[in-house]
Amino acid sequence: DYKKRRIKKGVHFEGVQNITPYLEKSSIKFRRSIYAVTDIEEGSGFTEENIRIIRPGNGIPPKHYETLLSKKASCDIKRGTPINWELTI
């Protein structure tokens, strides 16, 4: 039934989207965030060569990319690690 499918997707009949915990969790894989694309040593600065904005959204949001370029790594970071604020100084 069409109405039941719309309810399962979290959409009211008026067309307004209602974010449910299921939709919130499943949408993270489609968001982008900042990841280490090379190994980064403790104390090294973040550069355009060692971080990149990719999916899924498990790290710092892309809007903080420029800010992150002025920061340094607080510990060794392995390639493929999502960058979070605890990894920066």
Side-chain angles (χ1 to χ4, degrees):
D1 179 307
Y2 175 73
K3 291 180 181 180
K4 288 182 181 177
R5 278 187 267 137
R6 289 191 65 178
I7 291 171
K8 286 181 183 178
K9 290 183 179 180
V11 179
H12 291 287
F13 297 118
E14 297 85 36
V16 177
Q17 187 167 0
N18 180 21
I19 303 297
T20 63
Y22 172 77
L23 287 176
E24 181 71 24
K25 185 177 179 181
S26 65
S27 70
I28 289 174
K29 65 183 172 186
F30 298 111
R31 293 182 191 163
R32 295 179 184 268
S33 63
I34 304 170
Y35 277 75
V37 292
T38 63
D39 290 340
I40 304 170
E41 294 181 6
E42 180 179 353
S44 296
F46 293 103
T47 66
E48 293 178 1
E49 289 78 32
N50 64 16
I51 60 172
R52 192 164 296 142
I53 298 170
I54 57 176
R55 288 187 179 108
N58 296 324
I60 296 175
K63 68 181 180 180
H64 299 292
Y65 183 81
E66 294 295 324
T67 303
L68 195 58
L69 292 175
S70 64
K71 304 259 184 208
K72 295 184 178 190
S74 63
C75 60
D76 290 341
I77 302 171
K78 296 280 186 193
R79 177 180 182 258
T81 302
I83 305 297
N84 60 50
W85 293 116
E86 289 78 33
L87 299 175
T88 68
I89 52 173

